[in-house]
PDB file of all heavy atoms in Angstrom:
ATOM      1  N   ALA A 312     167.921 107.237 125.457  1.00  0.00           N
ATOM      2  CA  ALA A 312     166.841 108.098 124.975  1.00  0.00           C
ATOM      3  C   ALA A 312     165.917 107.393 123.992  1.00  0.00           C
ATOM      4  O   ALA A 312     166.412 106.435 123.167  1.00  0.00           O
ATOM      5  CB  ALA A 312     167.418 109.362 124.299  1.00  0.00           C
ATOM      6  N   THR A 313     164.724 107.770 123.954  1.00  0.00           N
ATOM      7  CA  THR A 313     163.744 107.087 123.047  1.00  0.00           C
ATOM      8  C   THR A 313     162.766 108.290 122.486  1.00  0.00           C
ATOM      9  O   THR A 313     162.250 109.006 123.203  1.00  0.00           O
ATOM     10  CB  THR A 313     162.992 106.000 123.636  1.00  0.00           C
ATOM     11  OG1 THR A 313     163.870 104.950 124.249  1.00  0.00           O
ATOM     12  CG2 THR A 313     161.937 105.349 122.815  1.00  0.00           C
ATOM     13  N   LYS A 314     162.479 108.150 121.231  1.00  0.00           N
ATOM     14  CA  LYS A 314     161.581 109.028 120.613  1.00  0.00           C
ATOM     15  C   LYS A 314     160.702 108.352 119.575  1.00  0.00           C
ATOM     16  O   LYS A 314     161.141 107.163 119.150  1.00  0.00           O
ATOM     17  CB  LYS A 314     162.315 110.186 119.892  1.00  0.00           C
ATOM     18  CG  LYS A 314     162.987 111.263 120.745  1.00  0.00           C
ATOM     19  CD  LYS A 314     163.426 112.421 119.977  1.00  0.00           C
ATOM     20  CE  LYS A 314     163.918 113.496 120.820  1.00  0.00           C
ATOM     21  NZ  LYS A 314     164.440 114.692 120.005  1.00  0.00           N
ATOM     22  N   LYS A 315     159.584 108.927 119.176  1.00  0.00           N
ATOM     23  CA  LYS A 315     158.719 108.394 118.279  1.00  0.00           C
ATOM     24  C   LYS A 315     158.722 109.278 116.959  1.00  0.00           C
ATOM     25  O   LYS A 315     158.732 110.467 117.206  1.00  0.00           O
ATOM     26  CB  LYS A 315     157.216 108.098 118.725  1.00  0.00           C
ATOM     27  CG  LYS A 315     157.015 106.986 119.808  1.00  0.00           C
ATOM     28  CD  LYS A 315     155.642 106.772 120.120  1.00  0.00           C
ATOM     29  CE  LYS A 315     155.586 105.658 121.164  1.00  0.00           C
ATOM     30  NZ  LYS A 315     155.919 104.361 120.515  1.00  0.00           N
ATOM     31  N   VAL A 316     158.593 108.660 115.780  1.00  0.00           N
ATOM     32  CA  VAL A 316     158.615 109.526 114.575  1.00  0.00           C
ATOM     33  C   VAL A 316     157.638 108.968 113.706  1.00  0.00           C
ATOM     34  O   VAL A 316     157.408 107.736 113.557  1.00  0.00           O
ATOM     35  CB  VAL A 316     160.050 109.561 114.031  1.00  0.00           C
ATOM     36  CG1 VAL A 316     160.587 108.192 113.524  1.00  0.00           C
ATOM     37  CG2 VAL A 316     160.123 110.520 112.791  1.00  0.00           C
ATOM     38  N   ASP A 317     156.959 109.872 112.984  1.00  0.00           N
ATOM     39  CA  ASP A 317     155.946 109.446 111.857  1.00  0.00           C
ATOM     40  C   ASP A 317     156.737 109.466 110.505  1.00  0.00           C
ATOM     41  O   ASP A 317     157.283 110.468 110.051  1.00  0.00           O
ATOM     42  CB  ASP A 317     154.758 110.530 111.809  1.00  0.00           C
ATOM     43  CG  ASP A 317     154.032 110.427 113.112  1.00  0.00           C
ATOM     44  OD1 ASP A 317     153.888 109.346 113.704  1.00  0.00           O
ATOM     45  OD2 ASP A 317     153.538 111.539 113.447  1.00  0.00           O
ATOM     46  N   VAL A 318     156.689 108.228 109.932  1.00  0.00           N
ATOM     47  CA  VAL A 318     157.329 108.101 108.675  1.00  0.00           C
ATOM     48  C   VAL A 318     156.187 107.967 107.538  1.00  0.00           C
ATOM     49  O   VAL A 318     155.363 107.161 107.617  1.00  0.00           O
ATOM     50  CB  VAL A 318     158.265 106.862 108.620  1.00  0.00           C
ATOM     51  CG1 VAL A 318     158.987 106.709 107.202  1.00  0.00           C
ATOM     52  CG2 VAL A 318     159.133 106.803 109.696  1.00  0.00           C
ATOM     53  N   PRO A 319     156.290 108.885 106.472  1.00  0.00           N
ATOM     54  CA  PRO A 319     155.309 108.759 105.419  1.00  0.00           C
ATOM     55  C   PRO A 319     155.458 107.506 104.648  1.00  0.00           C
ATOM     56  O   PRO A 319     156.530 106.753 104.709  1.00  0.00           O
ATOM     57  CB  PRO A 319     155.715 110.045 104.535  1.00  0.00           C
ATOM     58  CG  PRO A 319     157.024 110.220 104.801  1.00  0.00           C
ATOM     59  CD  PRO A 319     157.300 109.833 106.149  1.00  0.00           C
ATOM     60  N   PRO A 320     154.504 107.122 103.821  1.00  0.00           N
ATOM     61  CA  PRO A 320     154.456 105.943 103.032  1.00  0.00           C
ATOM     62  C   PRO A 320     155.660 105.868 102.060  1.00  0.00           C
ATOM     63  O   PRO A 320     155.868 106.958 101.297  1.00  0.00           O
ATOM     64  CB  PRO A 320     153.156 105.846 102.309  1.00  0.00           C
ATOM     65  CG  PRO A 320     152.658 107.251 102.317  1.00  0.00           C
ATOM     66  CD  PRO A 320     153.248 107.844 103.632  1.00  0.00           C
ATOM     67  N   ASP A 321     156.541 104.843 102.141  1.00  0.00           N
ATOM     68  CA  ASP A 321     157.658 104.726 101.259  1.00  0.00           C
ATOM     69  C   ASP A 321     158.476 105.930 101.303  1.00  0.00           C
ATOM     70  O   ASP A 321     159.044 106.500 100.313  1.00  0.00           O
ATOM     71  CB  ASP A 321     157.279 104.540  99.764  1.00  0.00           C
ATOM     72  CG  ASP A 321     158.421 103.917  98.902  1.00  0.00           C
ATOM     73  OD1 ASP A 321     159.367 103.502  99.474  1.00  0.00           O
ATOM     74  OD2 ASP A 321     158.306 104.160  97.760  1.00  0.00           O
ATOM     75  N   GLY A 322     158.759 106.596 102.569  1.00  0.00           N
ATOM     76  CA  GLY A 322     159.451 107.790 102.665  1.00  0.00           C
ATOM     77  C   GLY A 322     160.413 107.799 103.767  1.00  0.00           C
ATOM     78  O   GLY A 322     160.945 106.729 104.334  1.00  0.00           O
ATOM     79  N   ARG A 323     160.946 108.942 104.165  1.00  0.00           N
ATOM     80  CA  ARG A 323     161.933 109.107 105.268  1.00  0.00           C
ATOM     81  C   ARG A 323     161.515 110.155 106.278  1.00  0.00           C
ATOM     82  O   ARG A 323     160.773 110.971 105.952  1.00  0.00           O
ATOM     83  CB  ARG A 323     163.234 109.537 104.628  1.00  0.00           C
ATOM     84  CG  ARG A 323     163.951 108.495 103.702  1.00  0.00           C
ATOM     85  CD  ARG A 323     164.999 109.038 102.791  1.00  0.00           C
ATOM     86  NE  ARG A 323     165.717 107.997 102.129  1.00  0.00           N
ATOM     87  CZ  ARG A 323     165.188 107.362 101.018  1.00  0.00           C
ATOM     88  NH1 ARG A 323     164.133 107.791 100.515  1.00  0.00           N
ATOM     89  NH2 ARG A 323     165.827 106.500 100.417  1.00  0.00           N
ATOM     90  N   ALA A 324     162.069 109.984 107.478  1.00  0.00           N
ATOM     91  CA  ALA A 324     161.795 110.923 108.559  1.00  0.00           C
ATOM     92  C   ALA A 324     163.096 111.121 109.288  1.00  0.00           C
ATOM     93  O   ALA A 324     163.943 110.152 109.424  1.00  0.00           O
ATOM     94  CB  ALA A 324     160.635 110.596 109.313  1.00  0.00           C
ATOM     95  N   THR A 325     163.421 112.308 109.893  1.00  0.00           N
ATOM     96  CA  THR A 325     164.499 112.628 110.665  1.00  0.00           C
ATOM     97  C   THR A 325     164.250 112.760 112.063  1.00  0.00           C
ATOM     98  O   THR A 325     163.278 113.321 112.551  1.00  0.00           O
ATOM     99  CB  THR A 325     165.173 113.930 110.144  1.00  0.00           C
ATOM    100  OG1 THR A 325     165.403 113.844 108.699  1.00  0.00           O
ATOM    101  CG2 THR A 325     166.477 114.225 110.912  1.00  0.00           C
ATOM    102  N   VAL A 326     165.100 112.198 112.860  1.00  0.00           N
ATOM    103  CA  VAL A 326     164.954 112.148 114.359  1.00  0.00           C
ATOM    104  C   VAL A 326     166.217 112.756 114.950  1.00  0.00           C
ATOM    105  O   VAL A 326     167.350 112.554 114.542  1.00  0.00           O
ATOM    106  CB  VAL A 326     164.784 110.756 115.007  1.00  0.00           C
ATOM    107  CG1 VAL A 326     164.663 110.796 116.429  1.00  0.00           C
ATOM    108  CG2 VAL A 326     163.642 110.047 114.334  1.00  0.00           C
ATOM    109  N   ALA A 327     166.059 113.706 115.842  1.00  0.00           N
ATOM    110  CA  ALA A 327     167.268 114.469 116.469  1.00  0.00           C
ATOM    111  C   ALA A 327     167.186 114.170 117.997  1.00  0.00           C
ATOM    112  O   ALA A 327     166.174 114.360 118.653  1.00  0.00           O
ATOM    113  CB  ALA A 327     167.150 115.968 116.199  1.00  0.00           C
ATOM    114  N   PHE A 328     168.366 113.820 118.463  1.00  0.00           N
ATOM    115  CA  PHE A 328     168.654 113.546 119.818  1.00  0.00           C
ATOM    116  C   PHE A 328     169.625 114.716 120.374  1.00  0.00           C
ATOM    117  O   PHE A 328     170.725 114.753 119.868  1.00  0.00           O
ATOM    118  CB  PHE A 328     169.227 112.243 120.139  1.00  0.00           C
ATOM    119  CG  PHE A 328     168.321 111.104 119.908  1.00  0.00           C
ATOM    120  CD1 PHE A 328     168.430 110.398 118.599  1.00  0.00           C
ATOM    121  CD2 PHE A 328     167.385 110.701 120.849  1.00  0.00           C
ATOM    122  CE1 PHE A 328     167.653 109.291 118.469  1.00  0.00           C
ATOM    123  CE2 PHE A 328     166.543 109.606 120.513  1.00  0.00           C
ATOM    124  CZ  PHE A 328     166.643 108.938 119.368  1.00  0.00           C
ATOM    125  N   GLU A 329     169.125 115.643 121.203  1.00  0.00           N
ATOM    126  CA  GLU A 329     169.820 116.663 121.807  1.00  0.00           C
ATOM    127  C   GLU A 329     170.717 116.146 123.005  1.00  0.00           C
ATOM    128  O   GLU A 329     170.119 115.684 123.964  1.00  0.00           O
ATOM    129  CB  GLU A 329     169.011 117.848 122.103  1.00  0.00           C
ATOM    130  CG  GLU A 329     168.130 118.276 120.969  1.00  0.00           C
ATOM    131  CD  GLU A 329     169.026 118.922 119.842  1.00  0.00           C
ATOM    132  OE1 GLU A 329     170.126 119.241 120.074  1.00  0.00           O
ATOM    133  OE2 GLU A 329     168.507 119.051 118.697  1.00  0.00           O
TER     134      GLU A 329
END
Side-chain angles (χ1 to χ4, degrees):
T313 300
K314 286 189 175 183
K315 291 186 179 294
V316 61
D317 295 326
V318 184
D321 195 23
R323 291 165 175 78
T325 302
V326 180
F328 293 96
E329 304 294 340

